């Protein structure tokens, strides 16, 4: 996606006032979906209407792909809480 033009379909702001959006390439590729397929984390609370993400996560997890190769991966939000202690 580096260097490519994208379109943001914004749908909300989180509690830190960050924009929440679907990121789309010119050919219609949903970057959010591609990242989850590649085993990146996603925050279910901010993607309630996107049922495809759960399926992509399941496929990546069952395939032991990326972060799912670790039997006990730590979600970033849990890691941040631990780091603040």
């Amino acid at each position: 996606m580096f260097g490519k033009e994208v379109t943001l379909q914004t749908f909300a702001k989180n509690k830190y006032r960050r924009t929440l959006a679907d990121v789309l390439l010119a050919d219609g590729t949903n970057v959010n979906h591609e990242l989850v397929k590649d085993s990146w984390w996603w925050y279910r609370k901010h993607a309630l209407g996107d049922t495809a993400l759960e399926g992509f996560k399941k496929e990546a997890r069952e395939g032991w792909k990326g972060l799912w190769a670790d039997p006990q991966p730590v979600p970033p939000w849990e890691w941040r809480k631990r780091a603040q202690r």
Side-chain angles (χ1 to χ4, degrees):
M1 153 172 135
F2 181 75
K4 295 188 179 180
E5 198 166 312
V6 298
T7 300
L8 298 180
Q9 289 183 339
T10 61
F11 50 84
K13 293 217 181 234
N14 70 8
K15 67 181 181 180
Y16 303 107
R17 299 180 42 93
R18 296 180 188 133
T19 298
L20 304 177
D22 284 324
V23 180
L24 305 173
L25 297 177
D27 68 0
T29 300
N30 183 315
V31 176
N32 306 46
H33 289 180
E34 296 305 312
L35 291 173
V36 175
K37 286 178 187 178
D38 285 344
S39 84
W40 287 52
W41 290 104
W42 62 284
Y43 196 34
R44 181 176 289 111
K45 177 181 173 182
H46 296 309
L48 292 175
D50 194 337
T51 56
L53 289 172
E54 187 63 45
F56 298 143
K57 173 191 165 190
K58 183 179 181 210
E59 288 174 18
R61 191 172 201 159
E62 288 174 354
W64 294 85
K65 189 173 183 180
L67 69 93
W68 301 113
D70 183 336
Q72 296 182 330
V74 179
W77 49 91
E78 288 182 17
W79 184 88
R80 283 191 296 272
K81 283 181 187 176
R82 293 178 193 174
Q84 293 173 354
R85 292 182 194 162

